[in-house]
Amino acid sequence: MKTQFLAFVIALAPFSLVFSQSPAGSSYFQAVEEYKLRNYSKSIELLKSLQAEGKATFESYALLAYNYDKLNDFENAYGSIQEARKRKPDDENLAADTLGILAKYKKWKAVIELSEKFVPLFPTNAEIRFFYSLALSEKGAGKVALSQIEKAKSGNANDVRFLELEGKIYYSLKNYDKADMSLRWASSLNEKSASIWNNLALVQEALYRQNIKLGKKKDAIGYLEEAKECIQKAENIDSNDSSVKENHKRIHSISQS
């Protein structure tokens, strides 16, 4: 049986200091405006000119990293944010965005190694804890990831990302009841997420198959109907996603006989 969860979309949110006062001058502010207008190559050109003039700051290197990230240039994005961190190593936002860049390009081992340094330094930072948990789950350490999620949820109980990731991990561990609980909670907080409804549909499908094996046909049919409702909601939100399409086709083709 082929089932497809939707991958998490990694989107960096440039921290506020990037857009604050900077000693770099007007070229920096123009680079900020070009970034906002999605003119990433132009923004990079302006920031490179600051470097050539010896006026680079941690803000300009961070903005350079975000520009390169938008252009899907991992090497330059990561190199630039490392330069920013050299200038301000204790900034937790930079630390989180460093992990974000690595996670976007699935550098899971590097995310884990850096997270193990960052988590003790910034124990309440939800972004850092999320990327750590995500990397652990991707490397097959689901139970360790769950322990990190529990710590993060103590201060971020309604963070949908943790609930969805928790649900996906429980699903992979075949603990479908707990997966169901986590994803239902997530769906109550974000009803517009195709990913959450898609993943919840897969959990209902798994519960359907589990109850069929147990001979509980009536319960199984209930789970199947809910799986169909959930995958339909996912398709209504994002009908172009290939995973949603495949899951929708498979779930609706299941016989109740």
Side-chain angles (χ1 to χ4, degrees), residues 158-171:
N158 291 327
D159 190 320
V160 172
R161 297 172 305 166
F162 287 111
L163 293 168
E164 185 174 6
L165 179 56
E166 183 178 64
K168 292 174 74 172
I169 294 171
Y170 278 130
Y171 177 90

Side-chain angles (χ1 to χ4, degrees), residues 95-122:
D97 283 346
T98 300
L99 296 178
I101 289 173
L102 289 168
K104 178 179 177 180
Y105 297 93
K106 304 185 186 303
K107 309 293 185 180
W108 303 121
K109 182 179 178 181
V111 172
I112 291 171
E113 291 174 350
L114 274 181
S115 294
E116 289 173 349
K117 297 177 182 178
F118 292 158
V119 168
L121 294 173
F122 314 111

Side-chain angles (χ1 to χ4, degrees), residues 140-159:
K143 292 182 180 179
V144 182
L146 287 173
S147 69
Q148 291 298 320
I149 291 171
E150 279 303 310
K151 292 175 183 178
K153 282 170 62 181
S154 65
N156 304 274
N158 291 327
D159 190 320

Side-chain angles (χ1 to χ4, degrees), residues 6-13 96-97 99-100 103 124-134 137 145-146 149-150 152-153 155-169 182-183 185-187 189-190 193 195-196 199:
L6 299 191
F8 282 90
V9 176
I10 306 299
L12 301 184
D97 283 346
L99 296 178
T124 62
N125 189 293
E127 295 292 316
I128 291 173
R129 192 82 67 169
F130 172 74
F131 289 126
Y132 187 28
S133 303
L134 178 60
S137 69
L146 287 173
I149 291 171
E150 279 303 310
K153 282 170 62 181
N156 304 274
N158 291 327
D159 190 320
V160 172
R161 297 172 305 166
F162 287 111
L163 293 168
E164 185 174 6
L165 179 56
E166 183 178 64
K168 292 174 74 172
I169 294 171
S182 297
L183 289 167
W185 188 355
S187 69
L189 295 170
N190 184 2
S193 170
S195 174
I196 292 173
N199 297 339

Side-chain angles (χ1 to χ4, degrees), residues 8-20:
F8 282 90
V9 176
I10 306 299
L12 301 184
F15 59 96
S16 60
L17 285 178
V18 169
F19 306 115
S20 66

